[in-house]
Amino acid sequence: MNQKSMDKLTGTVKFVILLIFGMLLMMPFIWMVSVGFDRNANITMPFPPQLIPEEISSFNYGIVFENGRLIQSYINSGIVTTSSVALQVGASLLAGYAFSKGTFKYKRLLFILVLCTLMIPMEPRLIPLYTLFNSFGLLNSFWPLILPTVINGMLIFLCKQFFDQLPTTLREAAQIDGAGEFRIFFTVYLPLAGPIAATMVILSFIWSWNDFMWPLVVLNDQELHTVPLYLASFSLENGTSLGGLTMALATVSIIPIVVMYLFLQRYIIQSIALSGVKGE
């Protein structure tokens, strides 16, 4: 067997293995969608689980899209997520550029402090954040969900690594032409940061849209509930008595994430690969 045939066989084996593992990972999501189309699942959940319902019906999804509370929770999540993504990505791009190309005192120390925030989970920060926003009278509003997300150590780190691989000579040439730091950033480096920006949009969107614990702590009014909170409250109220409707709600709740990922997923591997290359 020649080398070309060996490479083809190896590629086929890798594809089959990845396909099998991909299908295994997708099985829970396929089952979730399937149960949503099973009207009988509102009476009793099918056991053993079936990938294709015996009687396919769009009844559950029809109820979901007519649900006023779900629509309101979508609007709430849209407001919080859009604001968080815009502020988080913008701040991370500026901070990453500053740590990569900037020259200022204690830069290394400040960057280490930013990285240290990655080691602090959300749970120890709940009480201090709650006390802080309570003192400003901002509880039971969207502000506690938006403001703490502006500074994100992981995104700043990814931005710095990405800007590190871009030539510093671009900045030096712009400085010779008399450009200031903000002009250099917005006209020279920002147009080149499309891949990392797209990756950060995806990550920030997923984190904000799926956030559950912190909104549960600060939001008391049901009219302000985000999609995860509404889904949790619906599940607690009905349990498995409306399994089909619950699964339909869960399916609809992840649609924005799936759409966002499909549009921007090709940038993830590209940007992470580039951020690991040191450029001069």
Side-chain angles (χ1 to χ4, degrees), residues 69-82 142 145 209 219 221-227:
R69 280 190 60 194
L70 176 64
I71 295 174
Q72 183 60 49
S73 67
Y74 251 84
I75 295 173
N76 296 340
S77 286
I79 294 172
V80 172
T81 301
T82 302
F142 293 145
L145 308 182
W209 187 271
L219 297 180
D221 190 351
Q222 285 190 348
E223 294 298 320
L224 297 176
H225 277 188
T226 57
V227 171

Side-chain angles (χ1 to χ4, degrees), residues 32 45 66 91 101 132 144 179 186 190 204 216 223 252 265:
M32 178 179 67
M45 290 290 286
E66 293 175 1
K101 305 300 181 184
L132 176 65
F186 284 106
L190 186 59
S204 180
L216 181 65
E223 294 298 320
V252 171
Q265 57 88 21

Side-chain angles (χ1 to χ4, degrees), residues 263-280:
F263 273 105
L264 301 177
Q265 57 88 21
R266 67 189 182 93
Y267 290 107
I268 293 182
I269 298 177
Q270 179 184 354
S271 64
I272 293 178
L274 287 174
S275 64
V277 181
K278 174 67 176 177
E280 299 296 339

Side-chain angles (χ1 to χ4, degrees), residues 8 26 28 43 75 149 162 179 197 214 243 245 268 279-280:
K8 186 176 180 179
M26 288 297 297
I43 302 173
I75 295 173
T149 65
F162 182 86
W214 179 234
L245 189 56
I268 293 182
E280 299 296 339

Side-chain angles (χ1 to χ4, degrees), residues 175-207:
Q175 286 178 326
I176 293 174
D177 291 337
E181 289 296 342
F182 280 101
R183 185 178 176 185
I184 295 173
F185 172 75
F186 284 106
T187 61
V188 178
Y189 285 96
L190 186 59
L192 301 175
I196 193 65
T199 301
M200 289 194 300
V201 167
I202 294 175
L203 295 176
S204 180
F205 189 94
I206 293 174
W207 293 336

Side-chain angles (χ1 to χ4, degrees), residues 55-88:
E55 182 181 349
I56 299 177
S57 171
S58 60
F59 174 80
N60 293 324
Y61 288 96
I63 295 295
V64 164
F65 287 108
E66 293 175 1
N67 192 309
R69 280 190 60 194
L70 176 64
I71 295 174
Q72 183 60 49
S73 67
Y74 251 84
I75 295 173
N76 296 340
S77 286
I79 294 172
V80 172
T81 301
T82 302
S83 303
S84 297
V85 169
L87 292 173
Q88 195 172 76

